[in-house]
Amino acid sequence: MGIYSERILPYLLDFSMADSILGRYRREVLADVSGDVLEVGFGTGLNLPYYPDHIRQLVTVDPSPGVHRLAQKRLAASPIVVEHRMVSGEALPMADHSFDSVVSTFTLCSIPDVEQALAEIYRVLRPGGRFFFVEHGLSDEPGIQRWQHRLTPIQKRIAGGCHIDRDMGQLIAQQFDQMELKTAYAEKLPKLAGYFYQGVAIKRGRAEAGD
């Protein structure tokens, strides 16, 4: 990996993603997380302060050593014991049906094969397990969409592969059996990068799956 992606970009991401507006979304999406938890795209650990008090252990994955180096202070200050794996969400090393909850915040935009990552998230969830997410992506306004498609190639180069034109609701719905979804522009953020998808997707239970 290059100097920019491992030495410069992690600091830029940590600074921009620590915004208090994004913190409100993190708090909302993590409020109902329970059981054995996996976080995909751990980054610099910005979600740690927002997990409910009953979460004491957490498994995380992220392929970037650069962002993980920045996470060390937050890990040291957190009461949560974190088991971190430096792997991609597209190839999770966990067994089927390992987790009650999987979390992704502002991560799916930058995974190259997002469909494969969502398939992996579904696989490692237990029947009845829940995928908690907040992501940005494709606007519902055609005029904004056109600019998102035009600018995504530039965004990918400067922001670690980030796509601002993915229809996150459609991608998640294609994989999961049930989904509760809210979409809206985030307060005070540019429309091009501030259309948010927030919700919970559910893997069907054993009886429903015919197990």
Side-chain angles (χ1 to χ4, degrees):
M1 293 190 178
I3 293 175
Y4 175 76
S5 62
E6 285 303 312
R7 298 292 180 180
I8 299 173
L9 182 60
Y11 287 93
L12 296 176
L13 292 175
D14 188 60
F15 176 77
S16 61
M17 298 306 292
D19 187 276
S20 60
I21 293 173
L22 303 187
R24 186 179 73 232
Y25 283 95
R26 296 178 195 277
R27 187 181 303 279
E28 289 176 2
V29 81
L30 292 170
D32 295 323
V33 170
S34 62
D36 295 320
V37 183
L38 168 69
E39 182 176 332
V40 175
F42 183 62
T44 60
L46 288 167
N47 283 337
L48 283 173
Y50 300 104
Y51 276 99
D53 291 341
H54 61 264
I55 300 298
R56 294 299 177 187
Q57 290 187 306
L58 177 66
V59 179
T60 65
V61 296
D62 197 300
S64 170
V67 294
H68 190 61
R69 279 193 294 270
L70 293 186
Q72 296 309 309
K73 287 185 178 179
R74 293 189 180 100
L75 288 167
S78 175
I80 301 175
V81 176
V82 175
E83 177 188 337
H84 183 64
R85 310 279 186 91
M86 207 162 290
V87 297
S88 168
E90 298 150 308
L92 298 176
M94 299 82 178
D96 295 358
H97 314 314
S98 295
F99 299 96
D100 302 293
S101 302
V102 177
V103 171
S104 169
T105 63
F106 311 109
T107 294
L108 298 180
C109 62
S110 59
I111 296 178
D113 190 344
V114 66
E115 291 92 346
Q116 176 61 25
L118 286 166
E120 282 288 270
I121 289 169
Y122 188 91
R123 179 184 66 80
V124 301
L125 274 170
R126 292 175 179 139
R130 296 180 293 173
F131 172 43
F132 297 84
F133 61 89
V134 57
E135 301 286 347
H136 71 157
L138 189 68
S139 167
D140 62 351
E141 295 184 53
I144 301 297
Q145 290 178 2
R146 285 193 290 272
W147 278 104
Q148 287 179 310
H149 292 315
R150 290 170 183 163
L151 294 175
T152 285
I154 299 171
Q155 176 76 359
K156 286 166 60 179
R157 291 180 63 86
I158 65 176
C162 173
H163 298 68
I164 55 176
D165 64 349
R166 284 179 172 171
D167 187 334
M168 296 300 184
Q170 182 180 69
L171 288 165
I172 296 169
Q174 286 173 349
Q175 183 62 57
F176 279 83
D177 308 295
Q178 181 181 344
M179 181 171 64
E180 300 171 5
L181 177 67
K182 296 189 295 184
T183 58
Y185 288 109
E187 181 184 353
K188 298 180 181 179
L189 295 182
K191 282 189 172 184
L192 286 172
Y195 191 75
F196 280 17
Y197 297 73
Q198 178 182 349
V200 181
I202 303 170
K203 181 175 181 175
R204 64 181 178 269
R206 290 189 185 277
E208 298 170 285
D211 292 341

